[in-house]
Every structure is written in C-alpha cells, then in structure tokens.
Amino acid sequence: MALPDFVGIGTQKAGTTWLYDKLTQNPSVWLPPLKEVHYFDLLYAPDKRKAARNRHLEGLADRIEAGFDKGSDGDRDRKVAYIRSLVGDHMLTPQWYQSVFDHPDAKDRVTGEITPAYLDLPDRKLQSLVDMLPKTKFVLIIREPVARELSQLRMTYARTEIKPETVEQWQRLFEKQQNRGDYMHSIPRWRKHIAADRLLILPFGRVRDEPAELIREIEDFIGAKPFDGYKDLEEPTHTTEKVELPGWLVESIEEQAVPQRNYLIEAFGEEFYRKTR
C-alpha cells in the first residue's frame, strides 16, 4: 500500500511552497506534481467539490502538457498521464489517496505531500488521518499570526476580481478568506494524536535567516539523503502583492491575534516566537 513517508501540514503563507520547491530538487525525495493534494480536508465532501477537484487536476495536466513543470523530476508525458489517472469517480477515496503515491518514480525514494489546510483539520478528519497514516511524519512551519494573516489577506485580495472599496466590502473579503492559522486550537489536537518524534514544528523566520540549516533538519527528520545542490535556497518562492490595507482592518487583525501570540509564547517560548517573524 503506497502512503506518504511525510506530510507538510501548514501553515498557509508560511513557506510551504518554498519547502515543496526545494524538496522536489532532492533526488532522494519524491513529491507529486500537485503540491496540495487536499485529501483529508476534503473528506466527506459533496459531489460538487469532487467534481471541482477533478476539473482542477484536468487543468493541471493540460498545463504540464503545455510546458509548465511541477513536482519531482520525471518524464513530462508520464506526469500528464499520472495526473489524468487521478481524475474520475474514485476521487477522494482511500484508494485514490494511495494512488497519488503509487508512481514508478517514487520507488525507493522518500515520498510526501504538502497541504497547508491539514493543520486545521477538525477532530473527525484528523482521526481519519491518524488511522490511515500510523507511521507518517509531519512537518509544520509556524508564522507570526499577524504577518501570516495579513499575507493571506493580500493573497485573497489579489485573487479577487472586484476589489473592495467600502468598509463592508473589506469586511466581506476578510470574512471570506479561510483562516488556516488557528494555532491555539489546532496544534494541541495534533500533539494529542501524534507523538513528538513524528511532528516537527519549525518557525517561519528560519526560511529567511538559515535556509540551509533548516532544509538539512527537515531532510534528517523525514529520512531523506542530504543534498547540496539546491537552487535558489535563499530566494522566496512567493512574493505577495503589496496592498495597502485599511488601518482599522489591520488593527482588528492585530487584536484578534493576541490569543494566538500568547499561546505560541507559552507553548514554545519567547525565542521560538521571535523566529516566527
């Protein structure tokens, strides 16, 4: 049965794309051409969500066929065929998730996937993950709550066709975005179900300040061979569009983030929290 050796569980806007891009360069690691698999967060999803996921994969296959490269090294035609094999009525079944990692290029390599939405899984879905992945290791990168929330809001703004102008429109935009950084509730759930030697929690600031040491620690944790040929290790993968947000909205986000900040300091200490910036 093909299952991942490791899973990146978050957080959104906290270096997960950087981690995916770097690990796909390591010859001893195999990651699928779809960075975010979105299996456990979409468990029990209605048929329309499954249909939307099928359309997403069909579009990804078309882009790879047209020359867009993604995932670990491999033959492009085989990548396209692999992505299209994931499209169908078996979408989001246990067999479908296993088939994600049942790829010829994955043989004898450390396999994984990275889906930031997993951090905030509710109890029922998290229990399904625990039951299905009893030996898998998990990697979590934590970003300072205000910075993470503002970065996500700017990303949501960039993806919105009709830009907000009024207070009500900004409020709807903020409410529309899915919060994927509820550390104070999500991390205790993960720690309850996953032993400490299977859950690596890292501060986001290390992506910027010590990327070589960080990637080496992650390699060691997931069982990958050390790789010295990473390209653009110190370059950010995503640069969020610079958007001037309303002052009242920033103040509201800062106020709401206080409990999250206090939790992180209490759980991990002042020095760790300082490195999340």
Side-chain angles (χ1 to χ4, degrees), residues 246-265:
W248 63 267
L249 183 54
V250 175
E251 291 178 3
S252 176
I253 290 172
E254 290 174 342
E255 182 178 349
Q256 292 179 31
V258 170
Q260 301 288 349
R261 171 186 178 275
N262 292 341
Y263 165 75
L264 291 176
I265 292 174

Side-chain angles (χ1 to χ4, degrees), residues 90-111:
H90 63 315
M91 169 65 65
L92 298 179
T93 63
Q95 294 74 25
W96 178 87
Y97 189 65
Q98 293 169 31
S99 71
V100 170
F101 307 98
D102 187 17
H103 189 286
D105 292 340
K107 186 178 180 181
D108 298 324
R109 297 164 80 177
V110 175
T111 62

Side-chain angles (χ1 to χ4, degrees), residues 57-58 61-62 65 79-88 90:
L57 293 183
E58 289 170 348
D62 290 342
E65 191 171 39
K79 280 187 180 182
V80 171
Y82 160 77
I83 291 293
R84 289 187 171 142
S85 74
L86 298 178
V87 176
H90 63 315

Side-chain angles (χ1 to χ4, degrees), residues 21 37 52-53 65 71 96 115 118 123 139-140 157 172 223 241:
D21 286 347
V37 174
R53 196 65 184 150
E65 191 171 39
W96 178 87
T115 303
Y118 290 168
D123 287 330
V139 178
L140 170 63
Y157 176 92
R172 283 198 297 271
E241 178 183 350

Side-chain angles (χ1 to χ4, degrees), residues 226-247:
F227 180 60
D228 295 324
Y230 291 109
K231 298 177 181 178
D232 302 321
L233 195 59
E234 298 181 359
E235 295 297 322
T237 304
H238 274 171
T239 302
T240 306
E241 178 183 350
K242 299 297 182 184
V243 178
E244 186 173 351
L245 303 173

